[in-house]
Amino acid sequence: MQKHNKDAMIDVSKIKQDFPLFKRKINGKRIVYLDSTASSLKPKKVIDAVNGYYKRYTANVFRSIYKTSEEATAKYEQAREYVADFIHAKNTSEIVFTRNTDESLSLLVYSWLPYHVRQGDVLVTSILEHHANFVPWQQYALKNKCDFRIWNADRNGILSLEAIEKLVSKRTKLFTFTAASNVLGTLPPVKKIIEKVKEMNPLCLTVVDAAQAVPHLPVDVENWGADVVAFSGHKMMAPSGIGVLWAKEQLLEEMPPFLFGGDMIKEVHEKTTVFNDIPHKFEAGTPFIEGAIGLGAAVEYLSALGMRHVREHEKKIVSYALDQLTKIPGLTMYGPADPDIRGGVVAFQMKGIHPHDIAQVLDEDNICIRVGYHCAMPLHEYLAIGPTCRASFYVYNDTKDVDALAEGLKKVKKMFE
Ligand code: PLP
């Protein structure tokens, strides 16, 4: 893999050229893409990698000895190596390719929970969660009469470490939380949280939803100390439909597979089956080969930028956005004011104007934001705020994009005054 350029700073005008979508104009106007939290744009490098598979070596993986299939297999496995390296996993066998974060997390409902969690046991998730890290545990708890507990945050999304003492006991079997809120942008101190949970109950499974962390910050899963980490390719410049489940080798060895069929087996006889080694045991059927190859290219792209720089850049942009948007009368922003503990996400509302109206007016100028509950309804209900607008930033956004948003919002305000 191309080595990290640790001294390079983020040059947005150069980066924008890597993303073909920015060449497009709609009604003669440029696109201001502020919805990377939902899905990021794709650089040419990723598009070329996917095209390369289609044009030069389309074949299934693992099954054949002809050259193009061997090439496809090598690229698929190379992507796994890149991902392992990117998140500092010990071994490629710890990287399971899934479809997305939802699938990575839900896999535990089939492969881990039924073997460890009984009636009356406690499952904990935080109030900040995306539904992907909320509904699986809620539903399991309902079905199995477990105690589903919520780790509440303050109004800025700050989770208290002391509260862990009340939530974790011998009966707590799973403790999960997001490494970055997709609404408030809050960045909880992952390592400290895991340490605290393990101090209270070393056997409690710790699961981190890193869907908004791996694309935006340097992540070291070994340093975090969690048992399971999940994330999605499409939020980090890769194709949609490829996701990752990282788990410690021993845990993956112990867990039974939840999808059965081809490739996840070593031998099948009339009465018995021997499952494949990890991670293949969890990758039944023909995988999303080109998706994984695209993810490998995305990891190369991000690594060349340097994740430290990606984070620093987003911190600058979010600080600037917080400064600019506060100047708009009637606009309320949610989440921490301190950019040190905030990712590149700004959720907001404008007094008396429905978020959908705001998004529609912004769309006239091709300013793409997201509105609604952002798959985090419990959080919106907890804050009692109703649907919000959300602008989110990535390496291809600059202060001009923030200015366009601020101007757009002023236009909205005038229209509805
Ligand atoms: N977790 C968080 C924090 C998210 O922001 C998202 C998507 O927005 C998800 C999980 C779900 O990701 P996916 O739709 O790729 O499964």
Side-chain angles (χ1 to χ4, degrees), residues 36-39 99-105 128-133 178-183 209-213 230-235 240-243 370 374-375 390:
S36 297
T37 290
S39 240
R99 281 191 309 144
N100 48 41
T101 307
D102 280 71
E103 186 174 291
S104 299
L105 293 168
L128 301 180
E129 303 311 306
H130 185 282
H131 300 156
N133 200 27
T178 184
S181 159
N182 66 322
V183 179
D209 175 350
Q212 298 300 344
F231 55 98
S232 301
H234 69 99
K235 295 181 193 293
S240 310
I242 185 79
R370 171 91 182 257
H374 319 297
C375 295
R390 181 186 71 190

Side-chain angles (χ1 to χ4, degrees), residues 52-216:
Y53 168 76
Y54 286 132
K55 286 184 181 161
R56 296 193 307 110
Y57 57 99
T58 305
N60 212 322
V61 284
F62 305 125
R63 291 178 188 172
S64 314
I65 55 158
Y66 53 87
K67 285 188 195 57
T68 51
S69 170
E70 282 176 348
E71 210 174 327
T73 306
K75 286 275 190 192
Y76 182 73
E77 286 305 313
Q78 186 187 54
R80 202 188 304 275
E81 276 169 35
Y82 286 177
V83 171
D85 192 38
F86 192 60
I87 62 167
H88 299 92
K90 263 196 183 148
N91 209 314
T92 50
S93 58
E94 297 177 337
I95 306 293
V96 177
F97 285 135
T98 61
R99 281 191 309 144
N100 48 41
T101 307
D102 280 71
E103 186 174 291
S104 299
L105 293 168
S106 282
L107 184 150
L108 297 174
V109 170
Y110 299 93
S111 296
W112 193 84
L113 270 68
Y115 306 95
H116 297 88
V117 184
R118 305 270 168 274
Q119 185 172 336
D121 284 345
V122 179
L123 307 175
V124 181
T125 194
S126 97
I127 193 64
L128 301 180
E129 303 311 306
H130 185 282
H131 300 156
N133 200 27
F134 197 96
V135 182
W137 330 120
Q138 178 204 55
Q139 289 302 303
Y140 185 89
L142 283 171
K143 201 166 153 200
N144 297 283
K145 300 193 171 59
C146 301
D147 185 358
F148 176 54
R149 292 197 195 160
I150 312 237
W151 183 18
N152 282 326
D154 71 10
R155 287 200 67 78
N156 290 323
I158 312 287
L159 295 156
S160 129
L161 284 172
E162 289 74 56
I164 296 174
E165 286 171 23
K166 294 206 185 82
L167 289 163
V168 181
S169 69
K170 287 272 168 296
R171 296 222 72 168
T172 311
K173 296 295 164 65
L174 175 131
F175 190 101
T176 180
F177 60 97
T178 184
S181 159
N182 66 322
V183 179
L184 303 177
T186 329
L187 300 174
V190 178
K191 187 178 162 71
K192 279 194 187 149
I193 295 168
I194 307 277
E195 276 171 3
K196 185 85 191 169
V197 173
K198 292 287 185 190
E199 191 188 303
M200 302 298 300
N201 177 0
L203 298 178
C204 176
L205 193 82
T206 50
V207 177
V208 179
D209 175 350
Q212 298 300 344
V214 173
H216 301 283

